Amino acid sequence: MKKRWLTALVMGVLVALVAYGASAQSSSSKSGGTFRLGTSSRIDSLNPYVAFNQDAYSAFEYIYPFLVQYDRANARFAPDFATSWKATNGGKTWTFKTRANAKWTDGKPLTAKDAAWTINTDVKYQGGAAANAAGLVAHVKHADAPNPTTLVVHYVKAPGNVLGQFQQFAILPQHIWSKYTKHKGNDLKTFSNSSPVGAGPFKLVKFKKDDIALFQRNGSFYGEKPQASGFGLRMFSNVDALVSALKAHEIDGIEDVPATAIKTLKGGFNVRSVPGVDQTDFIINSNPKKQSHRELLNLKVKAAFDHAIDRKQIVKVVFLGYAKPANSIIPPATGGWHNPSLKAPSFDIALANKLLDQAGFKRGPGGIRVANGHKMSYQVITPTDVPSTNRTFQILQPDFKKIGVLLSQRALDSTAAFEAITTPDNKYLKFDLAMWDWVALIDPDFMLSVVTCAQYGGWSDSGYCDKHYDQMYSQQQLTPNQAKRKAVVWRMQKYLYGKRPYIWLAAQDHVWAVSKSWGGLVASPQGPFNSISKLSLTRVHQQ
């Protein structure tokens, strides 16, 4: 579990933030100053081939170039490093025109060749070190840069999600990362990247894991220049300390306000809420090769678990109404990509018991059911940096006992939790159940990818592997007609709804709070610090 900060450490961080953001407090102009943002999550790694947490990918958005981003309304793709794009050759060739005279933060030229190198590297190592990016380069044959401002991407087949892929694809500096492709590319994952050379609107000037990240305005950025001199991301070990820091004006905003603090913050701060893409889930190890507790692969058992979950109570108690019962891997906030025919299963203890009876698992001593000679008693892995998991578990545990299933909680920091899920050697053989959350993107491809066989050792946290599902996943990628693609995406959601590698709990509203002395943050279903576009913290300014 995360350790509480020592008082001296907290004061040291506070001094650093105050010193770095002094101009924010002394200047009355709208430009300049340092915006101080607080989070209860964290940046787990500065290496894009390793990072897992959402805050890491939000940081990459601001320090690295991406070909495209979303517009202010989060509805359409807009230029970033690429200024225009077009498809030819029946959709199998995409040509991007990129910015001229762009630079990396070390002064080296940033050109289309860096983009081509990053794409080709990820294609080459997508089955290993670059597994995190496998979905982003799916069906790519190769890329080339005939000149510094032209990138050409060649596909094996015409895809339907090119811009969605590249909206999440960080372009890396070839002159830095090409040194780490040895050992079949595995060195890409061992590079700490502690002082990233980037080209975004900000450059990272200080980073202390689980503590603080300081970003300074990049004067050589190729796009819209930030209005603030920089921003700081302070990482808190618990939400109470986070809220206290905002009330004491030690920070200027909270990127994701805990439900318990919303009412108290509304008086003195600007609090905004929009339907979010963050959903909590109950994960069932669905690896068909798992060695023990194989009853968890039984669809009746999964359905019983689903009906033993009181989502309305979770929404009421854990999120105080700032959420809705969830029902699909694609959240409603993504718009038309969400399958509206899917409904959250009913909370029905009697039905859950009936399903387990039908599966043949009778009650033993203490009312706990027995499956294959052992008690139906399972450990639930929970990450300590997802605040909702503890209270949600307290709701689930007594209801599961009513159906003869005993749950115990194993709380770990997110890195250890993911390792416990994937062990041994990314084979997903040891764990039974877990709870976590997923922050989805607007385009559905990424979320649909996390349950493909190819994501073992990558994004998979369920061990799910289903060849029929993988075929549908490939089909939606290779359907350029977006209406037809949506129909495939809806079928995929319905298929997963029945297979239940995830039991979806709550689709959260994204609520953030900011000091009345700061404005300009852009509304986003991922919040103000997001991986959707560079606009929010580029445009944040003093009022």
Side-chain angles (χ1 to χ4, degrees):
M1 297 177 67
K2 289 183 179 179
K3 294 180 180 178
R4 290 180 178 269
W5 287 356
L6 297 176
T7 302
L9 179 57
V10 174
M11 292 304 296
V13 172
L14 185 56
V15 168
L17 273 171
V18 170
Y20 192 74
S23 58
Q25 299 178 2
S26 61
S27 174
S28 59
S29 66
K30 290 188 176 182
S31 61
T34 297
F35 179 64
R36 303 164 302 172
L37 190 62
T39 179
S40 59
S41 184
R42 65 192 182 110
I43 297 173
D44 58 317
S45 174
L46 295 175
N47 183 329
Y49 293 104
V50 176
F52 192 75
N53 281 5
Q54 177 60 35
D55 276 354
Y57 286 85
S58 298
F60 298 152
E61 182 72 34
Y62 283 96
I63 62 177
Y64 284 120
F66 290 71
L67 289 175
V68 297
Q69 61 184 325
Y70 277 99
D71 63 7
R72 184 181 178 89
N74 309 302
R76 297 180 181 275
F77 293 106
D80 189 345
F81 181 52
T83 57
S84 64
W85 46 87
K86 65 178 180 179
T88 56
N89 188 27
K92 292 195 293 185
T93 302
W94 280 69
T95 302
F96 297 84
K97 299 301 294 184
T98 62
R99 309 267 186 171
N101 304 314
K103 293 182 179 180
W104 294 103
T105 51
D106 62 359
K108 301 288 186 181
L110 160 62
T111 73
K113 292 183 178 180
D114 291 291
W117 178 85
T118 308
I119 293 168
N120 290 332
T121 298
D122 287 0
V123 169
K124 184 175 182 179
Y125 300 114
Q126 62 183 305
N132 275 12
L136 304 180
V137 294
H139 309 294
V140 174
K141 187 176 181 181
H142 71 275
D144 55 65
N147 60 61
T149 58
T150 303
L151 170 69
V152 183
V153 186
H154 305 274
Y155 289 85
V156 177
K157 297 179 180 179
N161 62 330
V162 170
L163 298 181
Q165 288 175 313
F166 285 130
Q167 187 272 316
Q168 284 295 298
F169 189 85
I171 298 167
L172 303 177
Q174 179 180 358
H175 66 283
I176 299 293
W177 285 83
S178 60
K179 305 170 188 175
Y180 301 98
T181 56
K182 297 177 181 178
H183 303 105
K184 297 181 179 180
N186 287 321
D187 288 1
L188 292 169
K189 298 187 76 168
T190 60
F191 177 39
S192 68
N193 198 31
S194 56
S195 300
V197 172
F202 295 94
K203 50 188 176 181
L204 184 65
V205 295
K206 180 178 181 179
F207 177 70
K208 190 169 185 179
K209 191 173 181 180
D210 299 335
D211 187 340
I212 190 172
L214 294 176
F215 300 80
Q216 187 179 60
R217 181 165 54 198
N218 177 15
S220 63
F221 178 52
Y222 52 76
E224 180 181 332
K225 301 299 188 292
Q227 296 189 45
S229 299
F231 71 93
L233 184 70
R234 181 174 164 187
M235 292 160 263
F236 290 80
S237 59
N238 64 80
V239 294
D240 291 336
L242 171 67
V243 173
S244 294
L246 181 62
K247 289 180 176 179
H249 300 285
E250 296 170 7
I251 55 177
D252 301 306
I254 294 177
E255 67 159 329
D256 194 359
V257 179
T260 52
I262 293 173
K263 185 176 180 180
T264 61
L265 292 178
K266 278 188 173 180
F269 300 88
N270 291 325
V271 179
R272 300 191 64 183
S273 172
V274 296
V277 289
D278 189 349
Q279 297 193 127
T280 56
D281 56 13
F282 185 83
I283 308 166
I284 301 175
N285 186 349
S286 299
N287 179 2
K289 298 180 180 179
K290 75 188 301 287
Q291 297 171 338
S292 61
H293 294 168
R294 290 185 59 81
E295 67 276 4
L296 294 177
L297 299 174
N298 187 312
L299 293 183
K300 284 190 176 181
V301 172
K302 291 185 174 188
F305 285 7
D306 212 345
H307 286 291
I309 293 175
D310 190 346
R311 291 171 176 81
K312 290 183 180 179
Q313 184 73 353
I314 292 171
V315 167
K316 178 182 177 181
V317 174
V318 180
F319 299 105
L320 300 183
Y322 288 90
K324 292 180 176 60
N327 53 52
S328 174
I329 193 169
I330 305 299
T334 61
W337 295 114
H338 173 75
N339 185 338
S341 71
L342 303 180
K343 307 299 180 184
S346 61
F347 173 54
D348 192 331
I349 293 295
L351 176 56
N353 273 310
K354 181 179 179 180
L355 289 168
L356 291 175
D357 289 340
Q358 290 174 350
F361 304 128
K362 297 180 179 181
R363 292 180 183 267
I368 304 304
R369 293 180 185 270
V370 176
N372 305 317
H374 62 79
K375 289 184 177 181
M376 292 186 73
S377 176
Y378 311 106
Q379 194 175 71
V380 183
I381 297 168
T382 63
T384 54
D385 55 357
V386 180
S388 65
T389 55
N390 289 340
R391 189 66 188 93
T392 301
F393 180 82
Q394 291 169 6
I395 293 173
L396 298 184
Q397 189 181 43
D399 286 334
F400 269 65
K401 192 170 183 180
K402 292 175 184 176
I403 65 170
V405 176
L406 193 63
L407 301 182
S408 60
Q409 186 179 9
R410 182 186 180 192
L412 302 167
D413 70 66
S414 59
T415 300
F418 191 64
E419 289 175 352
I421 287 172
T422 60
T423 193
D425 303 322
N426 296 321
K427 293 179 181 178
Y428 303 83
L429 298 177
K430 299 289 187 178
F431 94 101
D432 289 320
L433 305 170
M435 291 168 56
W436 214 307
D437 68 341
W438 275 108
V439 180
L441 305 176
I442 303 301
D443 187 276
D445 182 80
F446 171 73
M447 282 308 304
L448 296 174
S449 78
V450 302
V451 282
T452 59
C453 300
Q455 282 305 317
Y456 268 43
W459 285 106
S460 176
D461 60 357
S462 65
Y464 187 74
C465 181
D466 182 317
K467 296 298 183 183
H468 177 64
Y469 176 83
D470 282 6
Q471 289 172 0
M472 288 191 288
Y473 175 70
S474 181
Q475 182 184 359
Q476 67 84 25
Q477 284 193 317
L478 296 172
T479 306
N481 182 297
Q482 294 301 290
K484 292 180 179 179
R485 182 180 173 226
K486 182 173 72 172
V488 179
V489 169
W490 282 17
R491 287 201 303 273
M492 295 174 71
Q493 292 174 66
K494 187 174 182 179
Y495 188 78
L496 290 176
Y497 185 88
K499 297 296 184 180
R500 290 183 170 90
Y502 296 115
I503 292 176
W504 295 98
L505 305 178
Q508 303 174 51
D509 293 343
H510 202 107
V511 186
W512 68 94
V514 64
S515 165
K516 293 181 179 180
S517 62
W518 286 88
L521 292 172
V522 176
S524 160
Q526 283 188 359
F529 183 51
N530 61 73
S531 61
I532 291 177
S533 81
K534 293 175 165 61
L535 295 179
S536 189
L537 294 182
T538 298
R539 295 183 178 180
V540 69
H541 59 266
Q542 298 173 86
Q543 303 273 40

